[in-house]
Structure formats: C-alpha cells, structure tokens
Amino acid sequence: GQKVFDKNFGFNGELFINNKENAQDAHLSPIRSISVLPDGKVLIGCRYKLSSESYETKFAFGVIKLQQNGAIDSSFGIYGARIFHPGFGVDFNSIQVQGDGKILLAGTITTLRPIPHLVRLLPDGQLDSSFHFNNLARTDADNIPSAELHRALVLPDSSYKVIGKRSLGSDNHIVVFAVRKNGNLDTTFNAREFGSGSYLSPALLNFEILDAVEHSNHSTTVTASRNLGNGKHTYFSMRIA
C-alpha cells in the first residue's frame, strides 16, 4: 500500500536532532549509519565536530540513541549521546550491534596516515575495556596497515570481519581484516602481503565500497562502485574465501 509518515515518530513523522540538547561541546556532522535494536530503539552512528579541538583532531566518533518515538534516550551516554575522541581526527563509517547489545563502531584515524580504528561500547554507551583493537592499531603498524575502514560485520560467534580500502599511489585495494571478539587479529585468517589476520585484494581502479556480507561458509562478498569518469559508474562484487 501507499507509504505515509508515522506521525507517532518525532514531529509528525520527521525528526530533527539538535546536538545542543546533548549538552556537549560538539556539533553533529554527517550521519553515516543507523541500527535498529530488537526493542525498536534506534542507534545513529555519526561523526562529531568538537569545538575545542584543532582542525587536525576535531572529529570524533558519535552515537545517539533514540526511543521508539524518536525522543532522545537519556539513559545512554550523556543525555542520549556518546562521543568518543581518541586524541586523533577520525572519520566514522559503520555501526553494528551484537546479540549481547554491545556496539561496534568502525572508522579511520585520519590525522597522520589512514589507520583502521574500531571502538566497542557496552549497551549503556560506556567503552568496553575488554576490547583491545585500539591499542593494536596504534602500536603495531606492521599488523594493521594503512587503510580506510568502510564496513564492519558481526559474525555469529561475535568475531568480526572489517572491510576497508587501501590506496598505494594510483592503485587501490580492498582490505579485509578478521578480528576476534577481544579485538585481536585472527591469525588463522590467511593473508596476502600483510601477514596473517588480513587480506589484500589485487590492485583495482578507483572504487568506493558500498556494502559487504558474510556467507555461511565464512566467505565474504564485497560490493563496490567504480568511477569511469564523465559521470559514469560501474558496479562490481568480489568474493573472498
């Protein structure tokens, strides 16, 4: 049938989020990802611009939690929002919720070179101290190569596949990381060039990752678009066993 606004949500079916309601010194930047919880509440993943930081470090991960009717869920974080700033500028791309309610955020540290960055939150918005990918990303550059993260997949055993893009000159590559539920790389995941725990595709022309899915046989399909110039694009998928 015809689709109409749900007038029980927000204001007559529309929602405008004013970050000043969160009483934090930050401005809401682009919304990148949305996840609906089993109880109907909504998590919005976004990037926040911090007023107190310099240009190189002013961007942070942000998560806003809404009630079913669109009202801010004040039980989450600070007045419904959780802002995580690692001390570097970051770009945010993906939010996923696990079966136990923990929240995985995926993005990229952008201040120096692009460094993959994962953050896991507890259901109430607090940092999950049992997750250690952040430490590995900062101190072990050989295991975590320079790359931009675009998608994160939560697997049935609460481990992860994280998909990104690595640029080497004019060549671009799809990168897949296998991450254990504690945040360490899964060294049983065979690699090409980077050592166990990650996969690097052959060189590809300029592309943007659109989505990814994990299959029951543990292979991963990544879908991307390729810019052909003159406003033309083509689309392709790559399956990684």
Side-chain angles (χ1 to χ4, degrees):
Q2 184 179 4
K3 305 299 181 181
V4 297
F5 280 120
D6 180 357
K7 295 188 176 181
N8 295 317
F9 181 82
F11 180 75
N12 289 329
E14 295 183 282
L15 179 67
F16 299 91
I17 298 175
N18 179 3
N19 62 280
K20 291 301 182 183
E21 295 175 355
N22 306 113
Q24 303 192 53
D25 184 25
H27 299 277
L28 183 63
S29 200
I31 291 174
R32 298 286 178 80
S33 186
I34 295 177
S35 185
V36 180
L37 302 176
D39 62 3
K41 294 183 178 181
V42 177
L43 290 176
I44 297 175
C46 57
R47 187 176 69 167
Y48 265 95
K49 184 168 66 175
L50 305 179
S51 302
S52 59
E53 294 290 325
S54 65
Y55 179 79
E56 292 80 8
T57 62
K58 68 170 47 180
F59 293 106
F61 284 171
V63 181
I64 301 170
K65 189 174 184 180
L66 305 178
Q67 305 276 6
Q68 291 186 29
N69 63 0
I72 295 292
D73 185 347
S74 60
S75 68
F76 181 83
I78 301 175
Y79 298 103
R82 178 68 169 94
I83 298 175
F84 176 76
H85 186 237
F88 304 93
V90 295
D91 196 11
F92 172 84
N93 276 309
S94 179
I95 182 171
Q96 295 290 332
V97 181
Q98 301 178 186
D100 60 4
K102 293 182 178 181
I103 304 158
L104 184 74
L105 310 178
T108 310
I109 292 175
T110 59
T111 302
L112 300 174
R113 62 182 177 87
I115 299 175
H117 199 55
L118 294 177
V119 175
R120 192 167 71 193
L121 306 178
L122 299 172
D124 64 357
Q126 299 301 309
L127 279 175
D128 183 355
S129 61
S130 67
F131 188 73
H132 303 299
F133 187 89
N134 298 340
N135 294 333
L136 182 62
R138 294 181 190 177
T139 63
D140 195 343
D142 290 335
N143 284 342
I144 302 293
S146 176
E148 303 169 3
L149 292 191
H150 290 267
R151 291 290 183 273
L153 304 175
V154 179
L155 307 186
D157 63 355
S158 295
S159 63
Y160 313 99
K161 286 283 184 67
V162 188
I163 296 90
K165 176 182 177 181
R166 176 173 169 82
S167 298
L168 296 170
S170 60
D171 292 335
N172 297 280
H173 306 262
I174 292 173
V175 182
V176 179
F177 298 103
V179 181
R180 297 187 186 276
K181 59 185 177 183
N182 65 358
N184 293 331
L185 284 178
D186 181 356
T187 55
T188 65
F189 183 68
N190 291 327
R192 182 178 174 219
E193 293 191 24
F194 287 128
S196 55
S198 62
Y199 167 84
L200 183 72
S201 77
L204 301 165
L205 296 177
N206 188 40
F207 66 90
E208 295 298 330
I209 294 173
L210 300 177
D211 208 349
V213 62
E214 182 80 359
H215 303 281
S216 58
N217 64 355
H218 305 298
S219 64
T220 306
T221 296
V222 180
T223 301
S225 67
R226 179 178 295 153
N227 188 348
L228 302 178
N230 297 321
K232 297 180 180 180
H233 293 77
T234 187
Y235 300 90
F236 68 93
S237 294
M238 175 180 292
R239 179 169 291 188
I240 302 163

